Amino acid sequence: LPAEEQILLAFGRLRRDKDYELMLQGLAKTAGWRLLFAGPEGDLTYADLKQRTAELGISNRVTTCESFIEANAQTDFFAA
């Protein structure tokens, strides 16, 4: 991840009730921020997110780690 950008972290199971749409729309309206999704799929899939980020033109500012994050690796994500 680029050091010069601020990072938003969406951590945990992907679920529609977390309202990621609001976060994606906000990201589309701001500069200098990157969004990192980390965790397994739930009722929302990474394919859904990738489609929406493409529609908003922010695919290059969204990074995904598409799996369960083991406890010993979680601090690395929160330190980013």
Side-chain angles (χ1 to χ4, degrees):
L1 297 171
E4 66 277 0
E5 291 183 318
Q6 299 294 317
I7 300 170
L8 296 170
L9 174 62
F11 190 84
R13 187 168 307 279
L14 294 182
R15 297 189 339 233
R16 293 186 188 283
D17 66 334
K18 292 185 178 182
D19 198 13
Y20 293 125
E21 177 65 22
L22 182 63
M23 189 182 302
L24 295 173
Q25 288 178 13
L27 185 67
K29 295 177 183 179
T30 59
W33 285 86
R34 174 170 292 278
L35 176 56
L36 170 59
F37 284 96
E41 293 180 330
D43 64 351
L44 182 66
T45 67
Y46 280 102
D48 296 331
L49 283 176
K50 289 176 182 179
Q51 177 181 346
R52 187 63 181 133
T53 60
E55 292 168 356
L56 292 169
I58 57 172
S59 297
N60 63 328
R61 296 172 48 214
V62 176
T63 303
T64 60
C65 181
E66 303 176 17
S67 63
F68 179 78
I69 310 302
E70 297 292 337
N72 61 343
Q74 291 177 8
T75 54
D76 294 336
F77 286 88
F78 286 97

